[in-house]
Amino acid sequence: MTDIPDSHPRKASLMSRQKMVEASKRGLLAESAMIAHGRGEAFDYLLGEKTSDSASLAIREAAALLLVAESPVISMNGNSTVLAGSEAIKIASILGCPVEVNIYYRTSDRMEALIGELESLRDRLGSESLHKARQSIMDVEILGAVADGRILGLQGPRSLCSSQGIEQADVILVPLEDGDRCKALTSLGKQVIAIDLNPLSRTSKSATVTIVDDVKRAMSRLADELLENPKTTDWNNEAVLRDALDIMSSSSLRIA
Ligand code: ATP
């Protein structure tokens, strides 16, 4: 990869872009993945490419919900695996929960590639960790290969999931979810924590807690926040969506 100097103001964004390009060549991503990423980049630019105060509150609420969940799961697609796969493994190791690969355009090649990617990220993270953390990292189960569960309310391949993961989960962390699936999951009474840079997406509007932030930044902070043992609050999700829109609409003045 071309060296980007640390002083470059958009280094993190350029590095993520490069990761996406490389992952696409390796067959980890759907054809539309770059379009989704580009849409996210545009919103992130307007947010100043940093975690806002309201997103920080959403991250804390998400941590609190995950800590009290009976059966949490982290649902990963191609983009989130490429951009924040290690962070997902870390969160799962703290919670002792599985990670499930669940993708919109399901093909056996891509499922296999993404499960393999998460397994190798897990093995690398485990080998770099101290003894106590190592075991909980190596114990993280990567689900998705067996699609023996269903998301009721969805049709076709998009309804497939693992009976050990999403089907029986009460709280689901879904970075970059699609709106229909998010709605179907909440209709089933599950609590959905979405990470989505677009505060106007159907996912953002229908999730229980929406973190309007970049997936890597948000998941990295979420892992730290879990260790602080936060408590749930009387959460107002619309307020964080409004706050994100306010930041975005005032950003043009800041840039000028
Ligand atoms: P919805 O179905 O919820 O209305 P959509 O159709 O607008 O959403 P999709 O194409 O399903 O969106 O998924 C892309 C979403 O992921 C966009 O909302 C985009 O802002 C968001 N996104 C892309 N990259 C990132 C990222 N790195 N971090 C967080 N969100 C991202």
Side-chain angles (χ1 to χ4, degrees), residues 36 39-40 43 83 176 179 196-198 201-203 213-215:
R39 182 184 284 168
F43 284 114
L83 296 171
L176 323 187
D196 191 334
L197 279 159
N198 178 3
S201 74
R202 291 170 309 151
T203 300
D213 196 11
D214 167 68
V215 66

Side-chain angles (χ1 to χ4, degrees), residues 233-251:
T233 64
D234 192 7
W235 185 247
N236 179 350
N237 205 47
E238 206 181 304
V240 295
L241 302 183
R242 282 192 191 288
D243 187 68
L245 281 173
D246 286 347
I247 296 171
M248 290 179 191
S249 56
S250 60
S251 68

